[in-house]
Amino acid sequence: MSTGHSELHTKHEQITKYIESLAVGTKLSVRQIAQDLDVSEGTAYRAIKEAENIGLVSTKRRIGTIRMEKKEEPVIDKLTFSEIVNVVEGVVLGGSSGIHKSLNKFVIGAMQLEAMLKYIEAGNLLIVGNRVQAHMCALSQGAGVLITGGFDTTPEVKELADELQLPIIGSSFDTFTVATMINRAMEDRLIKKKIMIVDDIVRKDSPIYSLLAADTVKDMQKLVEETTHTRYPVIDDNQVPIGMITTKDIIGAKPNQLVGTLMTPNPLMINLKTSVASAGHTMVWEGIELLPVIDTDRKMIGVISRKDVMKAMQHMQRQPQNAETFEVQIYSGIDELRDEEGKLYFQGTVTPQMTNFEGLVSEGVLTTIMIRAAYRTVQENKKGDLILDSSSSYFLIPLQIDDVIEIVPSIVEMSRRFCKIDMEIRTNGTRVARSMFTARIL
């Protein structure tokens, strides 16, 4: 069986290299590739679908499958000059042909010109006021320019910007405000980068196995022998998933019985931008092992399994924190401690950021702290994350700034896939809030 798999991979690699060697715009067909490379039409078809997934070809109605230029994925933690224009509500004063370029850092021009030049490199963005000489020097060193305070620049500078294809952006905001806005945008990008999505884990280097409704049980049994998989999406002629079928579904079925009569119709599907955590929640909640991944036309472009999701979530836990969400900032001041019996509890001090407009601690902040403490309590007892089902919270006494609080968890019930946790917040021995959480364990 393993030999058959290696042969299959070799054929797929061979077809992929063949497609890469074709000129952009070349029309492809399953039959032609099968003939040229001496492979079956089924193998050729699957290889073309994989090439479509990685952006080597594109299939359009009434045109067919065309070799196309492979697009590079955008780097998510780098802003483009175009995005900077939107962030600072600016206008492009020159060099508009370079607006699509990315910047790697920004430099604030609040120093003498000679000192400023030491810090400016190609790919930077200089944030400065109406200092024309600084504009000219930054462009000469390969950097874009953001002019603050609503100022303009000279025609010579604009001409140089057009020539070098480096944008000059104008904004009515002052330098400090602009720097803060860009910093926040970059921080948001880092947070998005940290959130793993289905596109990060869906397999793009292996064949996608599926069945048609018109295939027979015998066809499925042959596929099971070839792949050793136990479940498959069922697709229509347009590659749209219409059902799921497992080896359990065909127990006792006749060899010539159609897959379409045995499958579970209307399968759940996800797209490439779905977060891995959301996909995991769907799988746990619905008790399913495999999810088809579809594109914007609902065509299947891959599958992810529960095993794929588990591996990804374990990987996420090992990654360093690149940027802090509000939730991480709120919980960062909470320390983990042990009582005399070695049981885990948490302690922290109420900060001004935790308060509401009345100067008292926000109930939402307290709930967030208790939820994070519940997550940590589960991790202490079991390896895995939890998906919150429900919570009931009671706020008994208002808290104020500088109050020292203790968060004390108590596990009411915990099984392999379910837990119930009672959480109390105390200050000076007095109970101030209490919550009961029920959750599913991943």
Side-chain angles (χ1 to χ4, degrees):
M1 190 65 66
S2 58
T3 307
H5 273 300
S6 60
E7 284 176 7
L8 193 64
H9 280 297
T10 307
K11 286 178 181 176
H12 278 274
E13 288 166 10
Q14 182 187 353
I15 296 169
T16 302
K17 285 178 182 175
Y18 172 75
I19 292 171
E20 284 176 340
S21 70
L22 297 174
V24 173
T26 305
K27 197 169 180 179
L28 292 84
S29 76
V30 170
R31 185 172 295 175
Q32 191 63 49
I33 285 181
Q35 288 175 356
D36 290 349
L37 300 179
D38 193 26
V39 295
S40 70
E41 290 193 6
T43 301
Y45 172 77
R46 282 195 283 265
I48 288 175
K49 292 312 293 179
E50 284 172 43
E52 192 170 355
N53 291 341
I54 61 176
L56 283 175
V57 300
S58 176
T59 303
K60 301 185 188 298
R61 282 183 188 173
R62 297 177 186 165
I63 298 173
T65 303
I66 306 290
R67 171 75 170 96
M68 61 184 287
E69 190 74 50
K70 189 176 178 181
K71 291 181 182 176
E72 293 297 320
E73 286 290 317
V75 182
I76 195 167
D77 55 334
K78 284 190 177 181
L79 290 169
T80 64
F81 290 110
S82 176
E83 289 168 311
I84 292 291
V85 174
N86 293 329
V87 168
V88 302
E89 299 174 20
V91 292
V92 181
L93 303 173
S96 57
S97 57
I99 202 76
H100 64 281
K101 294 178 181 177
S102 298
L103 61 129
N104 46 34
K105 70 173 184 178
F106 61 88
V107 178
I108 297 175
M111 58 191 90
Q112 292 294 326
L113 184 62
E114 293 77 17
M116 195 189 303
L117 290 174
K118 295 176 186 176
Y119 294 96
I120 301 171
E121 299 171 352
N124 291 177
L125 175 68
L126 175 67
I127 301 174
V128 70
N130 58 339
R131 297 171 63 181
V132 174
Q133 201 174 353
H135 304 167
M136 193 71 82
C137 290
L139 291 170
S140 301
Q141 294 191 205
V145 179
L146 173 50
I147 305 171
T148 59
F151 294 110
D152 202 340
T153 190
T154 63
E156 290 79 17
V157 171
K158 293 178 183 178
E159 192 177 317
L160 181 62
D162 289 337
E163 184 186 324
L164 298 175
Q165 296 185 342
L166 289 167
I168 297 181
I169 302 163
S171 175
S172 59
F173 293 109
D174 62 73
T175 300
F176 176 79
T177 304
V178 160
T180 304
M181 292 165 86
I182 295 173
N183 208 40
R184 179 68 248 183
M186 286 181 163
E187 186 91 346
D188 288 347
R189 279 303 182 90
L190 286 172
I191 290 170
K192 285 182 180 179
K193 185 182 179 183
K194 181 179 174 288
I195 298 170
M196 195 172 282
I197 58 174
V198 169
D199 196 19
D200 297 322
I201 67 168
V202 68
R203 298 173 191 175
K204 296 174 182 174
D205 58 349
S206 59
I208 304 164
Y209 298 105
S210 59
L211 291 159
L212 296 168
D215 286 335
T216 63
V217 169
K218 187 177 179 181
D219 294 326
M220 180 173 169
Q221 288 169 336
K222 187 178 178 183
L223 191 59
V224 171
E225 287 175 15
E226 181 189 331
T227 65
T228 70
H229 297 171
T230 57
R231 59 197 73 235
Y232 304 93
V234 182
I235 57 174
D236 64 15
D237 293 335
N238 295 317
Q239 314 308 310
V240 176
I242 55 172
M244 294 291 294
I245 189 162
T246 72
T247 47
K248 288 181 182 177
D249 297 325
I250 62 171
I251 293 173
K254 295 176 181 177
N256 62 348
Q257 198 163 343
L258 299 182
V259 165
T261 63
L262 299 166
M263 69 181 187
T264 303
N266 305 317
L268 290 169
M269 297 176 276
I270 53 173
N271 61 47
L272 291 172
K273 300 303 177 188
T274 304
S275 71
V276 170
S278 176
H281 185 284
T282 301
M283 286 176 151
V284 170
W285 191 260
E286 299 292 341
I288 53 181
E289 298 289 333
L290 196 73
L291 278 173
V293 182
I294 56 171
D295 63 13
T296 51
D297 295 323
R298 294 178 63 83
K299 289 184 178 180
M300 189 175 76
I301 52 176
V303 294
I304 62 164
S305 66
R306 192 184 285 218
K307 188 176 178 182
D308 295 332
V309 171
M310 294 302 101
K311 279 184 180 177
M313 296 190 85
Q314 286 168 7
H315 175 75
M316 281 191 285
Q317 289 174 3
R318 293 194 293 268
Q319 297 308 300
Q321 183 73 37
N322 289 321
E324 293 187 340
T325 62
F326 291 136
E327 188 168 309
V328 170
Q329 291 173 23
I330 288 167
Y331 193 68
S332 62
I334 306 298
D335 297 319
E336 294 182 8
L337 302 171
R338 303 275 174 183
D339 63 15
E340 294 175 356
E341 297 176 2
K343 288 183 179 177
L344 188 67
Y345 73 100
F346 309 87
Q347 189 178 75
T349 303
V350 173
T351 63
Q353 287 86 356
M354 294 181 180
T355 57
N356 59 22
F357 62 92
E358 296 170 329
L360 301 174
V361 174
S362 161
E363 291 85 352
V365 167
L366 288 182
T367 303
T368 296
I369 291 171
M370 288 192 283
I371 290 171
R372 295 315 310 173
Y375 272 70
R376 183 65 191 87
T377 303
V378 168
Q379 289 172 345
E380 173 84 355
N381 291 271
K382 280 186 175 290
K383 289 182 179 177
D385 281 327
L386 62 84
I387 294 170
L388 197 66
D389 276 350
S390 65
S391 66
S392 300
S393 300
Y394 303 90
F395 304 100
L396 310 171
I397 300 172
L399 285 165
Q400 301 178 65
I401 295 171
D402 295 333
D403 279 347
V404 176
I405 57 173
E406 289 183 355
I407 305 100
V408 184
S410 176
I411 296 172
V412 178
E413 184 184 345
M414 186 172 288
S415 64
R416 194 165 64 89
R417 292 197 175 178
F418 178 82
C419 69
K420 189 180 285 186
I421 299 174
D422 183 41
M423 194 75 65
E424 278 190 3
I425 296 183
R426 303 172 188 161
T427 184
N428 297 323
T430 304
R431 182 192 296 163
V432 296
R434 188 173 186 179
S435 191
M436 178 70 77
F437 298 104
T438 59
R440 294 169 191 263
I441 299 171
L442 271 176

